Amino acid sequence: MSRPVSLDPLFRSLRSIKGVGPQLAALLTRFFGAPDGQEAIALDLLMHMPSGIVDRRKMVGIAETWFGGVVTLKIHIDRHLPPPRGKPHIPHRVFAHDETGEIQLVFFRAQGNWVERALPVGEERYVSGKVDFFNGEKQITHPDYIVEPDKFASLPLVEPVYPLTQGLSSKALTKLTRQVLETLPALPEWMPPPTLQKFSWPDFRAAMRAVHVPETPEAADVAGPARMRLAYDEYFAGQLALLLVRSELIAPRGISRTFTGQITSAVEAALPFSLTEGQRQAIADVRADLAAPERMSRLLQGDVGSGKTVVALMAMAAMAESGGQSSLMAPTELLAAQHFRTLKPLADAAGLGIVLLTGKQGAAERRAALAGVASGETGIVVGTHALFQSGVEFHNLGLTVVDEQHRFGVHQRLALSEKGRHTDLLVMTATPIPRTLVLTHFGDMAVSVLREKPKGRQPIDTAVVSIRDYDRVVARLKTRIDEGAQAFWVCPLVEESEILDVVAAEDRFAELKKVFGDQVAMVHGRMSGPAKQAVMDAFIANETKVLVATTVIEVGVDVPNASIMIIEHAERFGLAQLHQLRGRVGRGSNRSACLLLYKDPLSETAKARLEVIKSTEDGFLIAEKDLELRGQGDVLGTRQSGMPGYHLAVPDVHRHLLEFAHDDAKAALAANPGLVGDRGEALRTLLYVFRKDTAIQLIRAG
Ligand code: ADP
Ligand code: MG
């Protein structure tokens, strides 16, 4: 199904717009971040929302103007004072007046004599701009607009202001956007009639006009009807696309699984502990999904240390009972190796074949591993996301488990990949996600939550200490190490630069070596996989006692004997991150401690943030605070993973519309799964406008 022709004007290159040459086109393409090799198009301009409004409707006399105010004046031009010859840094001044007072217009580095021509002595002009003072005189520096008295109508009295980049003026963007608006066709109404009636919003074209060419500042207000409509549209398109992906790729072609009970009971019998109620429930959820004819798409949400791995294992064991293989994808090699170590003895006890794929395996070893996978002998394959992407032949892959920790995005690519099409999907995450965010990022994914921690967990003593107490901290650490404890010492992200990170960690490592000698080791992100693994192995084997690390250990390392976590420059970390890091200790039977080292001076908010960590171990509560303090993009880590956000919807203002959009999308697809007829065409138009059209390609012909 190809793009409706009515949309052609929106998909033309910006170079076809008057006033856009190759240079500006290139700038705009960079600015709008068009996908690789593609140019910015007219639609990009339309979707670029103003960040504010300039109101030039204040028509006052010069005497009534005020400092910093944006005003429109009707003035009489009296005389020009160009800069003296050879002194181009002195501005060109124009003196003018009205009945109430005098004002100067100021121009720096004015080329040629355009100022004289624009403001002829003895004539009247409307000028609009911001008033300031110089030596006690009123002036407007570089007025935004100068128009002749009979052209007053061309002066935009209410003007949108756009987020800008170097080399692009808001005025230029306004001009271009207006041209695009003129060619914007009337589009078929995609909004379901009940929603349209309920909110009585303008149609899409009228809403775009209200936002880009507002008649009043209120018309473009982010909480006004026009922006509401557009935000809804964006959510609606997003939900429609997610649901299409799900209904076309994930749900159909599922297999009703039946279980013999043999492998799962053997695994459970081999566990050194009994399952928590939450784990039992989550396992039951998964089994019900596997037994149902639809494809499973489930999110397993549970705080650090809540025991998600066992749930995954029980799911994979159930899959093996019904003759299917499973893959477990971890974000890093370290974590994959750790999962393998945890799972191997349990799988062995149940006679369930399991292998680890790593990037550093020898060719023969890898061949042997892959042979077992291809023959079906191996029931569980553990590896990194990247490794699976490089292609693994399965005999009969039935279940994919993705351990995302708190880095999101992988499951989406997966859902679209060939592999995702044929398997049930279980995504594990440590970040508590509010329902609106689940909808946004996962569409209709079912959710299981592990709320309680496994029994026997000791609370962690958390203290906030200044780095000035370094000597005392190290002395105390020495005592604890001599008593048999192990500790993590985490060095922070320095200015987002991994290299500087490593330098900081190396300095600390050298310092600590003076005290701990060979008992201290270091691991960081720039080490090779095997080197990292060797350091980790020595730490796990309790050969080294203090592990200096950059945040690489954040992602899920399990060393039960480690009972001390020291985080240097804790004030630089996000709350969720601190919580994740602290979750690395408190896993064994020893009482654990977490030391948040900060550098003075500490701001009040920074202090308050550290207090949050000190006062609670409840990941949900911390996530809420984090959401408050930093905004959701950071909490989900989506900024790093480069997942596109919303352009029109502002979650803080429009979030409530997401539920409507979700319900509407669900109903629309249920009524018209093939998007056929006029209604279907309207919905397809919507998907194209919001560039979700890849979802359209998924609809099977017929
Ligand atoms: P996460 O949810 O962070 O992935 P893990 O699955 O790594 O948590 O589990 C954390 C630790 O808790 C592991 O050492 C694991 O063996 C242990 N554990 C898991 N479930 C239980 C349980 N029901 N009782 C006691 N310990 C458990
Ligand atoms: Mg885990």
Side-chain angles (χ1 to χ4, degrees):
M1 283 186 244
S2 56
R3 189 174 70 216
V5 218
S6 61
L7 290 176
D8 285 353
L10 292 183
F11 283 82
R12 70 198 154 116
S13 155
L14 283 178
R15 276 176 307 143
S16 68
I17 293 178
K18 217 177 94 208
V20 183
Q23 215 175 345
L24 183 54
L27 182 67
L28 289 165
T29 295
R30 268 201 312 281
F31 181 51
F32 290 125
D36 288 343
Q38 291 178 34
E39 286 181 312
I41 54 175
L43 182 62
D44 290 318
L45 280 172
L46 212 55
M47 293 295 186
H48 188 51
M49 291 287 108
S51 53
I53 292 289
V54 178
D55 186 354
R56 305 187 185 284
R57 291 174 305 172
K58 300 254 165 34
M59 297 277 299
V60 292
I62 292 172
E64 299 151 82
T65 60
W66 64 100
F67 179 79
V70 173
V71 294
T72 300
L73 305 171
K74 189 178 190 187
I75 54 169
H76 184 93
I77 318 296
D78 297 321
R79 69 188 169 91
H80 282 252
L81 183 62
R85 240 173 224 293
K87 301 215 163 156
H89 56 281
I90 294 183
H92 183 131
R93 290 184 175 274
V94 182
F95 296 80
H97 75 271
D98 67 7
E99 305 88 79
T100 68
E102 295 183 342
I103 195 160
Q104 296 176 27
L105 306 178
V106 182
F107 300 84
F108 287 90
R109 298 192 175 273
Q111 302 288 328
N113 60 350
W114 75 266
V115 179
E116 279 92 345
R117 276 189 282 120
L119 296 162
V121 172
E123 292 193 16
E124 294 201 308
R125 288 291 184 270
Y126 284 102
V127 297
S128 188
K130 192 192 254 177
V131 177
D132 60 69
F133 282 80
F134 183 73
N135 283 345
E137 306 281 351
K138 279 184 180 170
Q139 61 179 33
I140 295 178
T141 306
H142 295 184
D144 302 322
Y145 291 94
I146 302 172
V147 300
E148 293 164 28
D150 58 336
K151 301 235 174 75
F152 179 70
S154 73
L155 213 167
L157 291 180
V158 179
E159 189 180 34
V161 182
Y162 295 97
L164 292 180
T165 184
Q166 178 95 48
L168 258 186
S169 73
S170 187
K171 220 160 136 180
L173 273 177
T174 305
K175 256 199 190 137
L176 298 176
T177 307
R178 281 177 188 226
Q179 283 189 62
V180 172
L181 270 175
E182 275 159 28
T183 61
L184 175 62
L187 300 175
E189 182 54 78
W190 48 67
M191 202 185 283
T195 305
L196 196 59
Q197 263 160 29
K198 180 176 166 62
F199 294 108
S200 44
W201 287 325
D203 66 31
F204 180 77
R205 183 161 66 166
M208 277 294 181
R209 283 189 176 280
V211 167
H212 288 298
V213 195
E215 283 178 8
T216 63
E218 294 73 38
D221 193 89
V222 70
R227 279 299 291 273
M228 287 286 188
R229 151 96 214 202
L230 297 175
Y232 168 91
D233 285 346
E234 187 168 42
Y235 285 140
F236 190 33
Q239 291 299 306
L240 214 48
L242 282 169
L243 291 176
L244 272 172
V245 168
R246 189 165 147 69
S247 68
E248 296 300 317
L249 289 186
I250 302 177
R253 295 180 297 253
I255 299 170
S256 283
R257 303 280 176 176
T258 50
F259 313 110
T260 63
Q262 278 167 358
I263 305 178
T264 42
S265 51
V267 167
E268 197 175 340
L271 292 176
F273 45 73
S274 55
L275 295 168
T276 64
E277 206 33 58
Q279 285 170 326
R280 279 182 206 288
Q281 183 56 52
I283 292 166
D285 292 346
V286 169
R287 290 175 72 102
D289 286 352
L290 294 179
E294 292 84 33
R295 208 161 288 280
M296 172 168 83
S297 179
R298 181 168 290 275
L299 183 66
L300 175 61
Q301 198 173 303
D303 204 354
V304 219
S306 60
K308 296 184 290 293
T309 316
V310 174
V311 176
L313 177 60
M314 290 296 280
M316 297 189 289
M319 177 54 68
E321 283 177 6
S322 84
Q325 292 170 291
S326 301
S327 62
L328 172 57
M329 304 190 181
T332 65
E333 292 244 341
L334 265 183
L335 199 58
Q338 178 188 298
H339 276 319
F340 180 72
R341 251 193 332 270
T342 312
L343 299 179
K344 176 92 165 88
L346 298 166
D348 284 350
L352 176 57
I354 180 167
V355 288
L356 173 68
L357 294 180
T358 82
K360 305 297 186 296
Q361 254 160 350
E365 200 185 339
R366 180 166 169 90
R367 233 189 342 267
L370 290 176
V373 179
S375 72
E377 205 178 303
T378 304
I380 300 178
V381 186
V382 183
T384 60
H385 304 139
L387 264 174
F388 282 99
Q389 261 143 30
S390 67
V392 177
E393 258 333 298
F394 285 89
H395 176 65
N396 178 20
L397 179 63
L399 169 66
T400 301
V401 181
V402 181
D403 187 1
E404 290 202 321
Q405 294 294 330
H406 49 294
R407 274 153 229 252
F408 285 80
V410 176
H411 66 281
Q412 286 194 323
R413 265 169 280 145
L414 191 78
L416 286 163
S417 78
E418 199 48 43
K419 251 172 238 110
R421 290 187 190 212
H422 300 283
T423 70
D424 289 302
L425 180 64
L426 179 66
V427 178
M428 304 197 283
T429 161
T431 309
I433 321 173
R435 171 159 164 82
T436 47
L437 293 191
V438 171
L439 281 181
T440 308
H441 295 272
F442 300 90
D444 225 11
M445 219 166 185
V447 181
S448 298
V449 184
L450 301 180
R451 287 189 195 283
E452 43 176 345
K453 296 251 166 104
K455 287 196 194 62
R457 281 288 152 76
Q458 302 256 17
I460 302 168
D461 298 317
T462 302
V464 180
V465 178
S466 165
I467 189 75
R468 281 183 303 189
D469 285 334
Y470 175 80
D471 289 338
R472 264 202 299 150
V473 167
V474 171
R476 179 92 191 90
L477 179 62
K478 179 100 175 75
T479 314
R480 293 287 302 271
I481 298 293
D482 291 344
E483 290 164 6
Q486 281 182 287
F488 291 107
W489 188 299
V490 179
C491 299
L493 211 69
V494 181
E495 304 280 331
E496 314 258 324
S497 150
E498 208 179 15
I499 296 177
L500 289 177
D501 261 19
V502 172
V503 171
E506 271 167 354
D507 287 351
R508 181 55 68 217
F509 177 59
E511 281 295 311
L512 290 170
K513 231 174 155 48
K514 290 179 197 159
V515 180
F516 295 99
D518 289 345
Q519 286 185 317
V520 58
M522 173 165 68
V523 61
H524 59 67
R526 293 178 75 86
M527 285 161 64
S528 73
K532 258 189 266 189
Q533 194 59 58
V535 173
M536 288 311 296
D537 286 346
F539 190 63
I540 292 163
N542 203 355
E543 286 156 19
T544 51
K545 308 292 177 180
V546 180
L547 183 65
V548 176
T550 53
T551 39
V552 284
I553 63 151
E554 177 193 335
V555 221
V557 208
D558 197 19
V559 186
N561 190 55
S563 60
I564 302 171
M565 169 64 64
I566 298 176
I567 305 172
E568 199 170 333
H569 275 303
E571 75 279 5
R572 293 189 189 162
F573 290 88
L575 292 189
Q577 215 177 5
L578 288 174
H579 177 63
Q580 303 274 344
L581 284 168
R582 179 173 57 183
R584 301 297 125 225
V585 297
R587 300 190 156 211
S589 44
N590 295 332
R591 192 154 175 107
S592 296
C594 174
L595 223 53
L596 305 174
L597 291 179
Y598 65 87
K599 185 164 193 281
D600 292 303
L602 205 53
S603 74
E604 281 305 310
T605 26
K607 209 174 282 172
R609 286 157 43 82
L610 295 183
E611 277 306 313
V612 170
I613 297 292
K614 187 178 152 156
S615 66
T616 179
E617 277 184 59
D618 181 339
F620 280 78
L621 200 75
I622 291 172
E624 247 167 53
K625 293 274 180 200
D626 208 21
L627 200 65
E628 259 170 49
L629 289 164
R630 300 201 303 159
Q632 49 176 290
D634 269 337
V635 174
L636 284 175
T638 47
R639 225 166 263 173
Q640 296 92 302
S641 72
M643 200 149 65
Y646 292 112
H647 295 286
L648 310 192
V650 179
D652 285 346
V653 183
H654 302 127
R655 194 174 289 150
H656 66 286
L657 297 174
L658 185 55
E659 296 266 357
F660 284 104
H662 174 71
D663 293 347
D664 285 352
K666 216 167 166 169
L669 273 186
N672 186 357
L675 302 189
V676 294
D678 288 350
R679 234 2 252 144
E681 163 141 2
L683 294 172
R684 275 182 278 124
T685 306
L686 167 73
L687 289 170
Y688 275 105
V689 166
F690 285 90
R691 300 181 128 167
K692 300 283 185 199
D693 46 291
T694 40
I696 295 175
Q697 316 310 330
L698 299 173
I699 300 170
R700 280 160 296 167

